[in-house]
């Protein structure tokens, strides 16, 4: 396996909630509580949003939340804002001390 | 504050090698892991490998084994990634990203170094 599966794009109107899925296998997402999420604006480095499935670093808006069920992790953005328009990537620890990233999801704010 | 600063953009010929560096500051260098991740133009993130200076440990993603070398210099708090036998498919932005030991997430990222492979 080389990458976790994410939807290519998700759209929502300001104020709405959207959810981005991240599907892996029992060897990565399903096997460890080491799923993290990153936001990337064009031309910028990724920024950590969520770690260890559902934890937010200091300074990250409470509008971002994470969860996991089986081999699928999810990122929910509540109260969608224009500034949330960006690319989002999940990441998971996998066996043999390596990591996989998701295929990436472009969030469009309508 | 934590800072991770990359070396400048590079243009390389196919078949050659490139060495990218990240200079860190604002934290005890050897106490943290550093990872390398790349992103081809318009594409997603791709994991390359990890260095753990304190335990002298290095691990490369299977795809890059035999072609990548990751090193560090504790005296300058810098990490290095050298990729050989370059092809056009190696054209990408190369990021280094810090990990608090055994947490399995990347809390600080450098700004990235663009490597362009072109004849």
């Amino acid at each position: 396996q080389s990458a976790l599966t994410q939807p290519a794009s998700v759209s929502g109107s300001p104020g709405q909630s959207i959810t981005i899925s991240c599907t892996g296998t029992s060897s990565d997402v399903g096997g460890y509580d080491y799923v993290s999420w990153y936001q990337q604006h064009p031309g910028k480095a990724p920024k950590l949003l969520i770690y260890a499935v559902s934890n937010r670093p200091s300074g990250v808006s409470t509008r971002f939340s994470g969860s996991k069920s089986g081999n699928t992790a999810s990122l929910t953005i509540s109260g969608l804002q224009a500034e949330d328009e960006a690319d989002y990537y999940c990441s998971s620890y996998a066996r043999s001390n390596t990591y996989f990233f998701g295929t990436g999801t472009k969030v469009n704010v309508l | 504050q934590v800072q991770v600063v990359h070396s400048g953009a590079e243009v390389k010929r196919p078949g050659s090698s490139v060495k990218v560096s990240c200079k860190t500051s604002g934290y005890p260098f050897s106490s943290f892991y550093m990872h390398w991740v790349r992103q081809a133009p318009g594409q997603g993130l791709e994991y390359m490998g990890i260095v753990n200076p304190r335990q002298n440990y290095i691990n490369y993603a299977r795809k890059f084994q035999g072609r990548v070398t990751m090193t560090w210099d504790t005296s300058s708090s810098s990490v290095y990634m050298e990729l050989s036998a370059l092809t056009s498919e190696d054209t990408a932005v190369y990021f280094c990203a810090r990990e608090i030991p055994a947490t399995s997430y990347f809390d600080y990222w450098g700004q990235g170094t663009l490597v362009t492979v072109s004849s």
Side-chain angles (χ1 to χ4, degrees), chain B residues 18-21 36 48 68-70 79-83 94:
Chain B
V18 68
K19 192 171 186 177
V20 176
S21 68
W36 287 91
M48 298 183 71
V68 70
T69 303
M70 296 178 186
V79 292
Y80 304 89
M81 188 284 301
E82 184 169 20
L83 191 62
Y94 290 77

Side-chain angles (χ1 to χ4, degrees), chain A residues 38-63:
Chain A
Y38 303 87
Q39 177 192 62
Q40 187 181 34
H41 286 105
K44 300 295 187 181
K47 171 191 172 184
L48 176 67
L49 289 179
I50 296 288
Y51 66 93
V53 176
S54 59
N55 295 274
R56 267 187 316 276
S58 173
V60 172
S61 172
T62 56
R63 298 186 299 104

